[in-house]
Amino acid sequence: MMERRIDIIRREATKLFLRQGYAKTQISHIAKAAAVSVGTIYHDFVGKKEIMHYILKCTIEPEFAEQEIKRPITDELFANLDNEIIATLSASQEAFSARLQDDDYHFEEMISDAFDLLLKYAAGCLFIEKNQYEFKVLAGHYNQRREQFFHTMESYIKGFIEKGEVRQVEDVALTTTLIVELLTWWTMDRKYIPYTENDVSDQMAKAVCLDNIIAAYKR
């Protein structure tokens, strides 16, 4: 099945927004990367802002990408997008922290869930991180949720150490930072802003990442 043109535009625009920034990316850059004309881009989207909003909407609501939408796509579709993103960030954080008191929740499951969570929202999270000055409100909420995610990870790891499931470490906060950075690289940087292009699948990335983290810390 041939890849839809709008999906190619979304994919290439995502890479450009993350690698060189939203402000520095022009419609002509996106057209060149997607191997289409500038006119074709404007047939599908009113402008660059609509492309960016489409990317973010598809990140928090993947099924949106499967819908047939009247072209060109206008910003009327995304009138409440900021609030939707904030609500999604909050709900995801709450869901991830929900098993802090669950004795049947184990280290391997937590690392797997953290990987899946970061992978699911990788494009949106990286976009906000890389474009904080242009999107200050979203960035403020995102930074709060990122800090909460770190503290939740730290609490999980402390609990697993206390239960004897994870080995003793010199510094729990620094160990948490290392684990989060490993997860972030394998779910975000590897996929969207690598030093070199790679074709590692998400499944293989998860297998390698979890194998190394679990082998390093599980008691």
Side-chain angles (χ1 to χ4, degrees), residues 113-150:
D113 288 345
F115 186 100
D116 291 344
L117 177 62
L118 293 174
L119 182 67
K120 182 176 182 180
Y121 298 117
C125 290
L126 276 175
F127 180 84
I128 296 170
E129 284 187 14
K130 302 293 181 182
N131 299 279
Q132 297 212 17
Y133 291 111
E134 290 89 346
F135 305 96
K136 292 181 179 179
V137 174
L138 275 181
H141 285 276
Y142 170 75
N143 289 333
Q144 288 177 11
R145 297 296 171 261
R146 184 173 62 178
E147 186 174 345
Q148 288 176 351
F149 175 78
F150 175 88

Side-chain angles (χ1 to χ4, degrees), residues 68-195:
E68 288 298 327
I69 304 170
K70 182 181 177 181
R71 316 288 177 81
I73 293 173
T74 71
D75 225 26
E76 293 177 2
L77 281 173
F78 313 113
N80 199 41
L81 183 59
D82 281 8
N83 289 332
E84 291 176 18
I85 293 171
I86 291 168
T88 298
L89 291 172
S90 298
S92 298
Q93 172 57 38
E94 289 176 11
F96 181 64
S97 62
R99 302 188 69 179
L100 276 168
Q101 307 303 321
D102 185 351
D103 289 336
D104 292 326
Y105 195 50
H106 301 290
F107 181 59
E108 297 98 320
E109 293 176 272
M110 187 275 288
I111 296 297
S112 177
D113 288 345
F115 186 100
D116 291 344
L117 177 62
L118 293 174
L119 182 67
K120 182 176 182 180
Y121 298 117
C125 290
L126 276 175
F127 180 84
I128 296 170
E129 284 187 14
K130 302 293 181 182
N131 299 279
Q132 297 212 17
Y133 291 111
E134 290 89 346
F135 305 96
K136 292 181 179 179
V137 174
L138 275 181
H141 285 276
Y142 170 75
N143 289 333
Q144 288 177 11
R145 297 296 171 261
R146 184 173 62 178
E147 186 174 345
Q148 288 176 351
F149 175 78
F150 175 88
H151 289 307
T152 299
M153 287 284 292
E154 186 177 19
S155 295
Y156 273 127
I157 292 169
K158 284 180 179 177
F160 292 133
I161 291 173
E162 290 171 2
K163 290 191 295 184
E165 193 170 325
V166 167
R167 67 176 177 83
Q168 292 290 333
V169 296
E170 191 71 24
D171 188 297
V172 176
L174 289 178
T175 298
T176 302
T177 299
L178 175 60
I179 291 173
V180 170
E181 288 299 322
L182 284 169
L183 288 166
T184 300
W185 191 89
W186 282 99
T187 56
M188 297 184 183
D189 295 0
R190 167 195 63 85
K191 192 167 186 177
Y192 293 107
I193 47 176
Y195 290 113

